[in-house]
Amino acid sequence: MIVYHGSTEIIKNSDVIHSKKYLDFGRGLYITTFENQAKNETGKVAIVNIYELSEEWDNFKVLSFEKENEPELFE
């Protein structure tokens, strides 16, 4: 499965230890199957990191949405 992560940096290896602990759903690597959502995630010019992810979810905590969220407005 192809997934996307929007950032202001290229992220070659995920490292949730250094992620912000006060994010909406806690620490973690926030990914989406919607490329446009990853582009709008940072509120700045985004680098969209693309990963191929195994569909075996047994070792992960997953919060899944059925459709793409509306992009937030950043001012």
Side-chain angles (χ1 to χ4, degrees):
M1 167 188 299
I2 300 297
V3 295
Y4 307 94
H5 171 78
S7 180
T8 56
E9 304 176 27
I10 295 172
I11 300 177
K12 293 182 181 181
N13 299 306
S14 63
D15 179 359
V16 297
I17 293 171
H18 291 96
S19 68
K20 297 173 185 170
K21 70 179 187 180
Y22 299 110
L23 295 172
D24 290 342
F25 305 106
R27 287 188 173 177
L29 180 67
Y30 288 61
I31 57 175
T32 178
T33 55
F34 302 102
E35 186 175 4
N36 282 335
Q37 187 172 3
K39 287 179 185 176
N40 293 322
E41 191 64 31
T42 64
K44 302 175 183 176
V45 175
I47 294 172
V48 177
N49 295 276
I50 303 170
Y51 307 103
E52 186 167 353
L53 185 65
S54 166
E55 293 189 35
E56 296 180 20
W57 302 105
D58 295 342
N59 296 324
F60 297 97
K61 289 183 180 179
V62 176
L63 177 60
S64 179
F65 296 95
E66 294 298 319
K67 61 181 185 173
E68 182 175 1
N69 293 339
E70 292 292 324
E72 291 181 21
L73 297 176
F74 294 90
E75 297 179 16

